[in-house]
Amino acid sequence: MEQQHPPPLITMEAMLEQMVSLGMGAEMVNPAMDLMYDFLGTFLPSPPVSATASLSADSSPPGGGSEDHLSALPDQILRNVVSRLPAKDAARTAILSSRWRPLWRSAPLVLVDAQLLQSAGAEDSPLRADFGSVTAAVSRVLEVHRGPFRFVHLTRSSMGAHRAELALWLDLLAVKGVEEFVFVNRPWPLDVPLPATIFSLASVKRLYLGAWRFPNTSALPRGSAFPHLLDLGLGCVAMEDRDYDFILAKSPILETLVVYASQKHVNLRIISRSLRCVQLCMCIVHGVSLVDAPSLERLFLWDARVPTPRAIDKKICTRVKFGHAPNLCFVGYLVPGVHVLEVGNTIIKVETRASPSTIVPSVKVLALLVHFEVRNEAKMIPSFLKCFPNIQTLHIKSAKSDQPAGKLNQKFWQEHSGIECVQSHIREMVFHEYRGEHSELSFLKFILENAQVLRDMVIVFVRGSLSSGDNAAAKLMKDLSSVKKASENCRLVIMESSISMGGTSWSCQVASNFDVADPFYYCY
């Protein structure tokens, strides 16, 4: 039977380019672009200040009195207060008194261009905003304020039409200093060249870029670098393989890299002494190779696809190669049949036996996305599990196939009862998007029959399943009650997903937050 594969990832920018090439008018293109920027905005950090926050300036004691205690505070404290205000409100403090007049110019400022919009509703409808007035307002603030800037969030300017202002902004930020910089081009085209002076922002610690064409790094001056950069987010950015290599080499303390909806195919070689978390999200990925990543803890591939529907048949697939990454703890979502694993110099196949040269012992949390109704994909699960012998938490997300191509029966799983991580290490398993298919049930039984230290099996039904009136939960409990559990203390938990079928609540911010013990828990 012919092997089935998930459809190719159709990028939003490709759809928009096709709409424009077909001569579609603004009434059709603008809503699509609104959608694309909403989509892009999900990966960006939120500004640290809000223009709608409630403020109270009445500090009068009961019974009267109007003494200004606030102005009596030291300048350092007052600057701290001003730095926590939106730019417009920070500037307005200058009218309070002569004491306040110079404070806002020297306080580390937060500049969010969306908060400078004048027209009602413009912040919520950026594509219909007055781009010229926003751009002019940003220029005025950057020129007048002497810096540094604590946070600059520029997402409301059409850079293709204001390239002189774009160059000025980067020059001013380079001189005055910026710690966190969010810089998104609007509205069209999506590949406006990002000036190479972006590398002059030596003070930047967190940088998020959206809808740009990255500078040609092969032509940059030798000293170009991000010496203080900790977090880098690249959303809908057109980059070459050499650009990723350059970024990693020139960011000596970089800890987090997020590539989101890349405009080009991604082939990432990770060589970094500092990198702790890598996310490739909504991208067409040829491969990711952990060449030398001694600090890497998290590798997340969310909706990372192969280039064409028949890519695997043509031996073109997403190759995930595990080299030197001794601290790697979280990996997912790996997709058997779509991702090909390579450990050291060994490509993992169905018949590959576990050995010291074919395992990644450091991984404790693994997430797999599985098409259980596609036999040639599901049968790779045992081979994947053998690569990670020390898994303590296993997440399985069941994906529905439009064209089922054979199923695995209970006998298949019985023949793979000797997997080390299942027998001796998995303490918790979460099965996401359960629909009650026979192949899903067979896998659950396999885990219960072999997982000797399993404490919790959490089964998350697809949304609407438990309220449909067909007693799906009771049926599942009955089916599993006949299983002879390898762990007598295993607890079964049944719940319903809070997201629609096929959806996800994946958050780039959560996944990069090292205080979050297990980001995969947020996916249901």
Side-chain angles (χ1 to χ4, degrees):
M1 186 174 294
E2 184 181 13
Q3 185 176 355
Q4 304 296 324
H5 307 297
L9 183 66
I10 300 175
T11 61
M12 181 66 73
E13 64 270 14
M15 183 186 75
L16 288 170
E17 287 177 359
Q18 186 176 23
M19 293 173 70
V20 172
S21 67
L22 293 175
M24 296 184 180
E27 70 281 358
M28 297 185 68
V29 175
N30 281 349
M33 294 192 69
D34 271 328
L35 178 62
M36 195 218 62
Y37 281 108
D38 286 343
F39 164 75
L40 184 59
T42 61
F43 113 101
L44 298 174
S46 300
V49 300
S50 171
T52 59
S54 299
L55 300 174
S56 176
D58 184 6
S59 59
S60 303
S66 59
E67 185 178 352
D68 183 5
H69 295 287
L70 187 60
S71 293
L73 294 172
D75 284 358
Q76 184 177 357
I77 294 179
L78 294 181
R79 290 192 188 96
N80 189 290
V81 172
V82 173
S83 73
R84 299 176 186 275
L85 298 173
K88 289 171 68 173
D89 295 323
R92 286 169 179 162
T93 63
I95 67 174
L96 295 177
S97 69
S98 59
R99 169 78 192 286
W100 284 85
R101 195 166 298 133
L103 289 175
W104 89 273
R105 294 179 186 269
S106 58
L109 194 66
V110 173
L111 172 58
V112 181
D113 60 355
Q115 297 170 358
L116 302 177
L117 298 175
Q118 299 295 327
S119 57
E123 184 172 348
D124 295 325
S125 302
L127 290 177
R128 285 168 285 283
D130 183 351
F131 290 117
S133 63
V134 174
T135 302
V138 171
S139 295
R140 285 196 300 271
V141 174
L142 291 178
E143 288 174 332
V144 171
H145 194 277
R146 70 187 188 201
F149 292 89
R150 183 161 68 92
F151 183 99
V152 176
H153 192 279
L154 305 180
T155 64
R156 296 295 189 263
S157 292
S158 177
M159 293 304 169
H162 297 90
R163 301 198 185 194
E165 290 89 343
L166 163 61
L168 173 65
W169 294 353
L170 293 179
D171 288 342
L172 290 172
L173 289 173
V175 173
K176 299 181 178 183
V178 59
E179 288 191 3
E180 187 165 348
F181 189 27
V182 177
F183 202 25
V184 177
N185 168 52
R186 290 178 181 269
W188 189 267
L190 298 177
D191 62 347
V192 171
L194 180 65
T197 49
I198 191 71
F199 284 95
S200 65
L201 303 182
S203 62
V204 70
K205 295 180 180 179
R206 292 175 176 84
L207 177 64
Y208 303 87
L209 302 173
W212 297 99
R213 174 156 51 85
F214 207 73
N216 179 6
T217 53
S218 64
L220 291 178
R222 184 181 297 273
S224 300
F226 288 128
H228 301 292
L229 187 63
L230 294 170
D231 300 330
L232 177 62
L234 302 165
C236 196
V237 175
M239 296 180 66
E240 305 294 338
D241 294 346
R242 65 172 182 269
D243 300 330
Y244 293 109
D245 294 341
F246 183 91
I247 281 286
L248 294 181
K250 298 296 184 176
S251 305
I253 64 171
L254 183 67
E255 293 186 350
T256 299
L257 172 64
V258 181
V259 181
Y260 193 88
S262 173
Q263 292 190 41
K264 293 195 174 187
H265 298 178
V266 177
N267 188 26
L268 181 63
R269 295 173 69 253
I270 301 176
I271 302 175
S272 171
R273 306 292 297 178
S274 60
L275 205 57
R276 297 176 62 192
C277 177
V278 172
Q279 297 187 58
L280 301 179
C281 305
M282 297 293 289
C283 298
I284 298 175
V285 181
H286 277 300
V288 54
S289 179
L290 312 185
V291 180
D292 186 17
S295 300
L296 189 66
E297 302 169 24
R298 302 181 175 198
L299 176 62
F300 298 128
L301 306 174
W302 174 55
D303 207 358
R305 302 286 189 87
V306 294
T308 68
R310 305 298 176 190
I312 296 176
D313 296 333
K314 298 177 180 178
K315 308 302 181 184
I316 302 174
C317 49
T318 298
R319 182 160 296 185
V320 183
K321 182 172 182 177
F322 296 88
H324 182 63
N327 289 306
L328 185 63
C329 186
F330 296 84
V331 175
Y333 281 97
L334 297 181
V335 187
V338 173
H339 296 150
V340 172
L341 304 189
E342 185 174 348
V343 182
N345 296 317
T346 303
I347 296 176
I348 305 303
K349 300 178 180 178
V350 172
E351 67 275 10
T352 302
R353 294 182 178 274
S355 71
S357 63
T358 63
I359 63 172
V360 186
S362 62
V363 174
K364 299 297 188 296
V365 180
L366 177 68
L368 302 179
L369 188 149
V370 181
H371 298 86
F372 279 97
E373 296 176 312
V374 180
R375 179 182 178 85
N376 287 341
E377 293 187 17
K379 73 180 183 181
M380 285 297 299
I381 297 176
S383 299
F384 274 43
L385 293 178
K386 290 176 184 177
C387 291
F388 307 98
N390 296 319
I391 301 168
Q392 296 178 3
T393 301
L394 175 63
H395 292 268
I396 298 288
K397 184 173 182 180
S398 181
K400 188 172 180 60
S401 175
D402 294 331
Q403 296 178 299
K407 301 178 182 180
L408 300 176
N409 55 31
Q410 201 67 36
K411 181 180 178 182
F412 171 85
W413 295 111
Q414 291 172 352
E415 294 172 349
H416 292 84
S417 59
I419 300 175
E420 182 178 350
C421 67
V422 176
Q423 285 189 323
S424 305
H425 295 284
I426 294 179
R427 299 174 183 174
E428 183 172 23
M429 193 196 81
V430 184
F431 194 103
H432 305 256
E433 301 297 305
Y434 182 78
R435 291 184 300 277
E437 300 288 343
H438 178 72
S439 52
E440 296 174 328
L441 180 61
S442 295
F443 180 77
L444 292 178
K445 290 181 176 180
F446 159 71
I447 294 294
L448 286 176
E449 290 172 349
N450 292 277
Q452 299 175 16
V453 298
L454 188 66
R455 296 185 303 209
D456 293 291
M457 174 179 279
V458 181
I459 303 170
V460 185
F461 277 75
V462 296
R463 187 174 181 178
S465 298
L466 301 186
S467 57
S468 61
D470 60 358
N471 298 316
K475 182 178 183 302
L476 175 60
M477 292 298 290
K478 180 180 178 180
D479 288 334
L480 296 180
S481 63
S482 61
V483 175
K484 185 178 180 180
K485 298 178 184 177
S487 173
E488 295 181 357
N489 298 322
C490 178
R491 181 174 65 116
L492 292 178
V493 178
I494 294 178
M495 57 190 299
E496 185 175 282
S497 177
S498 61
I499 58 178
S500 59
M501 184 182 300
T504 184
S505 57
W506 184 262
S507 166
C508 293
Q509 288 81 18
V510 169
S512 295
N513 185 346
F514 296 106
D515 292 330
V516 175
D518 185 349
F520 297 111
Y521 278 119
Y522 289 79
C523 296
Y524 60 86

